[in-house]
């Protein structure tokens, strides 16, 4: 029980620290992202696509905690798409044939979270595809 209590305190401390930090360091110079097989990136999952604060490019910059999702099935700390898009440069690493296939599909599939990054960022987005 103490472990969970300490983990929650750490999570709140991290959220507070990140929130304070990003208020003074915008825009980010570089944002290094990965992508999951469901098309999520930066812990922005398919179930969150309709969330204005998470995916709308006009939303106020936000760092927040997600519900438990993904593998491992845990809550995560992330930032919204508008904050990510504000980065000077975005590097997306996509490793494995399955993920590369999802990435290629995402250009035309609005059900995949990565679609919204690809659609809204044309310049200074570097995608590194790594075959396994």
């Amino acid at each position: 029980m103490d472990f969970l209590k300490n983990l929650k305190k750490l999570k709140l401390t991290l959220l507070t620290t990140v929130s304070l930090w990003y208020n003074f360091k915008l825009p980010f110079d570089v944002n290094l992202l990965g992508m999951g097989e469901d098309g999520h990136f930066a812990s922005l999952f398919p179930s969150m696509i309709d969330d204005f604060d998470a995916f709308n490019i006009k939303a106020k910059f936000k760092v927040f905690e997600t519900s438990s999702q993904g593998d491992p099935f845990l809550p995560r700390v992330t930032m919204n798409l508008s904050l990510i898009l504000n980065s000077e440069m975005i590097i997306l690493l996509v490793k494995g044939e399955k993920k590369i296939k999802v990435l290629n599909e995402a250009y035309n599939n609005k059900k995949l979270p990565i679609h919204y990054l690809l659609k809204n960022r044309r310049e200074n987005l570097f995608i590194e595809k790594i075959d396994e």
Side-chain angles (χ1 to χ4, degrees):
M1 209 51 140
D2 286 338
F3 173 75
L4 291 177
K5 192 176 186 180
N6 289 334
L7 187 61
K8 284 184 179 186
K9 283 182 188 176
L10 176 63
K11 189 169 30 175
L12 288 174
T13 302
L14 180 60
L15 273 172
T16 302
T17 302
V18 170
S19 295
L20 289 172
W21 180 76
Y22 91 79
N23 283 328
F24 299 104
K25 301 281 187 180
L26 293 178
F28 294 117
D29 290 328
V30 178
N31 207 322
L32 179 63
L33 304 172
M35 188 191 83
E37 290 181 3
D38 61 355
H40 85 270
F41 67 99
S43 295
L44 295 173
F45 289 91
S47 65
M48 300 165 65
I49 288 174
D50 293 328
D51 181 334
F52 179 90
D53 288 334
F55 273 91
N56 191 293
I57 62 171
K58 295 181 181 177
K60 184 177 177 181
F61 296 161
K62 186 176 179 183
V63 173
F64 61 99
E65 179 182 353
T66 70
S67 60
S68 295
Q69 297 188 52
D71 184 17
F73 189 73
L74 296 169
R76 299 162 187 231
V77 175
T78 189
M79 61 186 94
N80 63 1
L81 181 61
S82 64
L83 180 54
I84 293 169
L85 290 172
N86 193 259
S87 304
E88 294 291 329
M89 178 188 306
I90 298 173
I91 301 170
L92 177 65
L93 304 177
V94 182
K95 184 178 179 186
E97 290 180 27
K98 282 184 179 181
K99 291 181 183 180
I100 292 171
K101 184 178 176 183
V102 170
L103 176 71
N104 292 334
E105 179 186 335
Y107 286 95
N108 298 309
N109 187 340
K110 294 179 181 181
K111 293 180 181 179
L112 297 170
I114 196 67
H115 168 84
Y116 298 91
L117 177 67
L118 300 172
K119 174 185 167 188
N120 291 293
R121 185 63 180 251
R122 302 276 186 224
E123 296 179 2
N124 295 323
L125 171 62
F126 301 96
I127 301 172
E128 182 66 27
K129 298 176 185 176
I130 305 164
D131 288 330
E132 288 188 87

